[in-house]
Amino acid sequence: MPALKTAPKPRAKPARKLDIKCRTLQEIGATIVAGGRGRAVLQDFARLVKERGKYRWVGIYRISRHEFVLDASTSETPPAYTQFPVSQGLSAVAIETRRTVMVRDVSKDKRFLPNFWTTRSEVIVPVIDDEHEKVVGVINVESGKVDAFDKSDRDFLEGVARLVWRAFR
């Protein structure tokens, strides 16, 4: 009687590569856990978010004495507003509502404060200190294209915001 043939063992599937945005969140989290704090760390985070998200510009603003103050930016040329009152712009909406503001076409929103004359769409995410339940800043991401951002960008940037408040200390 011939020997029974057994089915070949299924090959192990290669480990699924983590999405680059997930890896970015892990890197930011690891830096925070390791004690990363201050402007230099925020500057590294802004650069990393810009590169990994393929964004044109990323700025991280801290709230200080009722003003937004730019702590980190990915441009060698400073934006038009490195400091402005918390009552102005789309950033004011983000802190008032404690929600992300996504604007498909900034030319159609009168609240928009132009950091760069080439900006066409923008996302502003509030940075909330979970321990004290207060908004401590915003992450501002701008694009030269209309309708440049989608749900995956919002989710990624909100993930970044949930981590970076710890670096403000």
Side-chain angles (χ1 to χ4, degrees):
M1 198 190 267
L4 292 173
K5 290 186 178 181
T6 58
K9 289 184 180 178
R11 290 184 184 188
K13 293 181 181 177
R16 185 176 165 200
K17 289 185 179 179
L18 285 176
D19 175 73
I20 194 155
K21 290 179 179 178
C22 288
R23 286 195 310 251
T24 303
L25 293 173
Q26 289 173 335
E27 289 178 43
I28 291 171
T31 300
I32 296 291
V33 169
R37 304 283 186 272
R39 282 188 169 191
V41 169
L42 290 170
Q43 186 64 44
D44 289 343
F45 291 165
R47 180 193 49 75
L48 191 63
V49 167
K50 177 188 182 224
E51 288 173 6
R52 302 282 176 81
K54 297 185 177 162
Y55 302 127
R56 185 188 70 176
W57 183 78
V58 175
I60 301 175
Y61 288 84
R62 172 194 316 261
I63 296 174
S64 177
R65 298 182 183 170
H66 306 291
E67 289 193 318
F68 291 107
V69 178
L70 186 65
D71 267 1
S73 172
T74 59
S75 175
E76 290 182 21
T77 305
Y81 294 95
T82 58
Q83 191 168 332
F84 59 98
V86 294
S87 59
Q88 291 184 352
L90 294 164
S91 296
V93 176
I95 66 165
E96 183 179 312
T97 63
R98 298 171 64 99
R99 301 195 119 176
T100 299
V101 176
M102 289 180 54
V103 181
R104 295 181 61 234
D105 184 351
V106 295
S107 69
K108 295 179 180 178
D109 196 317
K110 293 179 182 178
R111 302 168 296 180
F112 173 65
L113 291 175
N115 270 325
F116 302 98
W117 67 272
T118 56
T119 298
R120 297 293 175 254
S121 59
E122 180 174 45
V123 177
I124 299 174
V125 182
V127 176
I128 301 171
D129 175 338
D130 288 343
E131 290 178 2
H132 301 99
E133 289 297 318
K134 71 178 198 173
V135 180
V136 294
V138 294
I139 298 173
N140 181 344
V141 180
E142 298 185 6
S143 174
K145 298 177 187 173
V146 171
D147 202 21
F149 306 107
D150 61 20
K151 181 184 181 312
S152 69
D153 295 302
R154 185 190 69 220
D155 292 347
F156 170 57
L157 295 167
E158 287 176 351
V160 172
R162 280 191 293 276
L163 296 169
V164 302
W165 69 269
R166 292 168 181 88
F168 278 19
R169 295 179 178 176

